[in-house]
Amino acid sequence: MARKVVETVTCDACSKKGLEVEGTVVLKIMDDRYDLCDEHGARFRDQLRAALAPSLDAALTA
């Protein structure tokens, strides 16, 4: 009899709140990996973009 293993990935940020929301976005920083839902993925993307924007602008003009 054949068996099929299905792995469910949940959002790490939602899991801290006790929620089980499907993780659809992967955030990887060096050796750290975070599975995030669309909402948390967008939130972290926006925060990183804002934090790095001045550095990126300065590097592009150099």
Side-chain angles (χ1 to χ4, degrees):
M1 175 181 270
R3 292 181 187 214
K4 182 177 182 180
V5 177
V6 178
E7 181 180 1
T8 303
V9 178
T10 57
C11 174
D12 293 329
C14 289
S15 293
K16 285 190 159 193
K17 298 177 188 175
L19 303 172
E20 289 190 20
V21 179
E22 181 181 4
T24 57
V25 176
V26 175
L27 171 63
K28 186 171 182 186
I29 302 172
M30 297 182 70
D31 293 334
D32 297 332
R33 176 192 163 114
Y34 304 94
D35 295 304
L36 303 169
C37 63
D38 288 336
E39 179 184 345
H40 282 110
R43 187 179 305 169
F44 283 113
R45 180 198 62 221
D46 293 343
Q47 290 174 357
L48 284 171
R49 185 179 288 160
L52 298 175
S55 299
L56 291 175
D57 291 341
L60 291 175
T61 59

